[in-house]
PDB file of all heavy atoms in Angstrom:
ATOM      1  N   THR A1171     -42.027 -16.839 224.187  1.00  0.00           N
ATOM      2  CA  THR A1171     -42.566 -16.504 222.870  1.00  0.00           C
ATOM      3  C   THR A1171     -41.431 -16.023 221.981  1.00  0.00           C
ATOM      4  O   THR A1171     -40.595 -15.229 222.407  1.00  0.00           O
ATOM      5  CB  THR A1171     -43.642 -15.399 222.999  1.00  0.00           C
ATOM      6  OG1 THR A1171     -44.664 -15.881 223.874  1.00  0.00           O
ATOM      7  CG2 THR A1171     -44.249 -15.057 221.655  1.00  0.00           C
ATOM      8  N   ILE A1172     -41.409 -16.499 220.766  1.00  0.00           N
ATOM      9  CA  ILE A1172     -40.301 -16.156 219.876  1.00  0.00           C
ATOM     10  C   ILE A1172     -40.839 -15.954 218.467  1.00  0.00           C
ATOM     11  O   ILE A1172     -41.686 -16.719 218.008  1.00  0.00           O
ATOM     12  CB  ILE A1172     -39.246 -17.279 219.932  1.00  0.00           C
ATOM     13  CG1 ILE A1172     -37.852 -16.709 219.829  1.00  0.00           C
ATOM     14  CG2 ILE A1172     -39.437 -18.342 218.901  1.00  0.00           C
ATOM     15  CD1 ILE A1172     -36.837 -17.558 220.544  1.00  0.00           C
ATOM     16  N   ASN A1173     -40.408 -14.912 217.805  1.00  0.00           N
ATOM     17  CA  ASN A1173     -40.863 -14.640 216.438  1.00  0.00           C
ATOM     18  C   ASN A1173     -39.730 -14.967 215.478  1.00  0.00           C
ATOM     19  O   ASN A1173     -38.861 -14.145 215.218  1.00  0.00           O
ATOM     20  CB  ASN A1173     -41.298 -13.180 216.292  1.00  0.00           C
ATOM     21  CG  ASN A1173     -41.899 -12.916 214.914  1.00  0.00           C
ATOM     22  OD1 ASN A1173     -41.892 -13.795 214.053  1.00  0.00           O
ATOM     23  ND2 ASN A1173     -42.406 -11.713 214.710  1.00  0.00           N
ATOM     24  N   VAL A1174     -39.754 -16.196 214.966  1.00  0.00           N
ATOM     25  CA  VAL A1174     -38.666 -16.660 214.086  1.00  0.00           C
ATOM     26  C   VAL A1174     -38.616 -15.836 212.809  1.00  0.00           C
ATOM     27  O   VAL A1174     -37.550 -15.585 212.255  1.00  0.00           O
ATOM     28  CB  VAL A1174     -38.872 -18.144 213.706  1.00  0.00           C
ATOM     29  CG1 VAL A1174     -37.721 -18.656 212.879  1.00  0.00           C
ATOM     30  CG2 VAL A1174     -39.031 -18.992 214.949  1.00  0.00           C
ATOM     31  N   LEU A1175     -39.778 -15.408 212.335  1.00  0.00           N
ATOM     32  CA  LEU A1175     -39.831 -14.724 211.039  1.00  0.00           C
ATOM     33  C   LEU A1175     -39.674 -13.210 211.161  1.00  0.00           C
ATOM     34  O   LEU A1175     -39.773 -12.503 210.165  1.00  0.00           O
ATOM     35  CB  LEU A1175     -41.163 -15.045 210.341  1.00  0.00           C
ATOM     36  CG  LEU A1175     -41.386 -16.532 210.047  1.00  0.00           C
ATOM     37  CD1 LEU A1175     -42.776 -16.769 209.486  1.00  0.00           C
ATOM     38  CD2 LEU A1175     -40.318 -17.059 209.092  1.00  0.00           C
ATOM     39  N   ALA A1176     -39.428 -12.713 212.376  1.00  0.00           N
ATOM     40  CA  ALA A1176     -39.260 -11.268 212.550  1.00  0.00           C
ATOM     41  C   ALA A1176     -38.171 -10.764 211.620  1.00  0.00           C
ATOM     42  O   ALA A1176     -37.130 -11.400 211.457  1.00  0.00           O
ATOM     43  CB  ALA A1176     -38.902 -10.942 214.000  1.00  0.00           C
ATOM     44  N   GLN A1177     -38.424  -9.635 210.994  1.00  0.00           N
ATOM     45  CA  GLN A1177     -37.428  -9.070 210.077  1.00  0.00           C
ATOM     46  C   GLN A1177     -36.212  -8.607 210.867  1.00  0.00           C
ATOM     47  O   GLN A1177     -36.336  -7.987 211.916  1.00  0.00           O
ATOM     48  CB  GLN A1177     -38.031  -7.875 209.327  1.00  0.00           C
ATOM     49  CG  GLN A1177     -39.052  -8.264 208.274  1.00  0.00           C
ATOM     50  CD  GLN A1177     -38.459  -9.162 207.203  1.00  0.00           C
ATOM     51  OE1 GLN A1177     -37.459  -8.835 206.585  1.00  0.00           O
ATOM     52  NE2 GLN A1177     -39.063 -10.326 206.997  1.00  0.00           N
ATOM     53  N   HIS A1178     -35.051  -8.913 210.315  1.00  0.00           N
ATOM     54  CA  HIS A1178     -33.839  -8.399 210.948  1.00  0.00           C
ATOM     55  C   HIS A1178     -33.669  -6.943 210.553  1.00  0.00           C
ATOM     56  O   HIS A1178     -33.834  -6.575 209.407  1.00  0.00           O
ATOM     57  CB  HIS A1178     -32.603  -9.176 210.498  1.00  0.00           C
ATOM     58  CG  HIS A1178     -31.336  -8.515 210.938  1.00  0.00           C
ATOM     59  ND1 HIS A1178     -30.977  -8.445 212.256  1.00  0.00           N
ATOM     60  CD2 HIS A1178     -30.392  -7.846 210.243  1.00  0.00           C
ATOM     61  CE1 HIS A1178     -29.846  -7.775 212.350  1.00  0.00           C
ATOM     62  NE2 HIS A1178     -29.474  -7.399 211.128  1.00  0.00           N
ATOM     63  N   GLU A1179     -33.363  -6.108 211.551  1.00  0.00           N
ATOM     64  CA  GLU A1179     -33.100  -4.699 211.272  1.00  0.00           C
ATOM     65  C   GLU A1179     -31.673  -4.397 211.659  1.00  0.00           C
ATOM     66  O   GLU A1179     -31.225  -4.746 212.750  1.00  0.00           O
ATOM     67  CB  GLU A1179     -34.057  -3.810 212.091  1.00  0.00           C
ATOM     68  CG  GLU A1179     -35.513  -3.992 211.683  1.00  0.00           C
ATOM     69  CD  GLU A1179     -36.457  -3.173 212.568  1.00  0.00           C
ATOM     70  OE1 GLU A1179     -35.958  -2.399 213.401  1.00  0.00           O
ATOM     71  OE2 GLU A1179     -37.668  -3.326 212.410  1.00  0.00           O
ATOM     72  N   ASP A1180     -30.947  -3.739 210.734  1.00  0.00           N
ATOM     73  CA  ASP A1180     -29.567  -3.369 211.056  1.00  0.00           C
ATOM     74  C   ASP A1180     -29.567  -2.464 212.269  1.00  0.00           C
ATOM     75  O   ASP A1180     -30.417  -1.585 212.415  1.00  0.00           O
ATOM     76  CB  ASP A1180     -28.922  -2.618 209.883  1.00  0.00           C
ATOM     77  CG  ASP A1180     -28.616  -3.572 208.732  1.00  0.00           C
ATOM     78  OD1 ASP A1180     -28.520  -4.776 209.007  1.00  0.00           O
ATOM     79  OD2 ASP A1180     -28.482  -3.101 207.593  1.00  0.00           O
ATOM     80  N   GLY A1181     -28.612  -2.700 213.132  1.00  0.00           N
ATOM     81  CA  GLY A1181     -28.535  -1.871 214.339  1.00  0.00           C
ATOM     82  C   GLY A1181     -27.184  -2.012 214.978  1.00  0.00           C
ATOM     83  O   GLY A1181     -26.319  -2.745 214.498  1.00  0.00           O
ATOM     84  N   PRO A1182     -26.973  -1.316 216.086  1.00  0.00           N
ATOM     85  CA  PRO A1182     -25.659  -1.322 216.733  1.00  0.00           C
ATOM     86  C   PRO A1182     -25.256  -2.687 217.268  1.00  0.00           C
ATOM     87  O   PRO A1182     -24.095  -2.935 217.530  1.00  0.00           O
ATOM     88  CB  PRO A1182     -25.833  -0.315 217.883  1.00  0.00           C
ATOM     89  CG  PRO A1182     -27.319  -0.230 218.109  1.00  0.00           C
ATOM     90  CD  PRO A1182     -27.942  -0.485 216.781  1.00  0.00           C
ATOM     91  N   GLU A1183     -26.238  -3.605 217.438  1.00  0.00           N
ATOM     92  CA  GLU A1183     -25.903  -4.910 218.017  1.00  0.00           C
ATOM     93  C   GLU A1183     -25.663  -5.975 216.956  1.00  0.00           C
ATOM     94  O   GLU A1183     -25.633  -7.163 217.233  1.00  0.00           O
ATOM     95  CB  GLU A1183     -27.038  -5.373 218.948  1.00  0.00           C
ATOM     96  CG  GLU A1183     -27.185  -4.514 220.179  1.00  0.00           C
ATOM     97  CD  GLU A1183     -27.858  -5.270 221.318  1.00  0.00           C
ATOM     98  OE1 GLU A1183     -28.585  -6.235 221.028  1.00  0.00           O
ATOM     99  OE2 GLU A1183     -27.652  -4.902 222.470  1.00  0.00           O
ATOM    100  N   ASP A1184     -25.477  -5.537 215.717  1.00  0.00           N
ATOM    101  CA  ASP A1184     -25.330  -6.488 214.618  1.00  0.00           C
ATOM    102  C   ASP A1184     -24.254  -7.535 214.839  1.00  0.00           C
ATOM    103  O   ASP A1184     -24.402  -8.672 214.428  1.00  0.00           O
ATOM    104  CB  ASP A1184     -24.992  -5.730 213.330  1.00  0.00           C
ATOM    105  CG  ASP A1184     -26.248  -5.583 212.485  1.00  0.00           C
ATOM    106  OD1 ASP A1184     -27.294  -6.019 212.962  1.00  0.00           O
ATOM    107  OD2 ASP A1184     -26.160  -5.049 211.374  1.00  0.00           O
TER     108      ASP A1184
END
Side-chain angles (χ1 to χ4, degrees):
T1171 302
I1172 216 151
N1173 185 355
V1174 184
L1175 299 174
Q1177 288 300 306
H1178 170 68
E1179 295 176 6
D1180 287 339
E1183 293 204 336
D1184 260 3

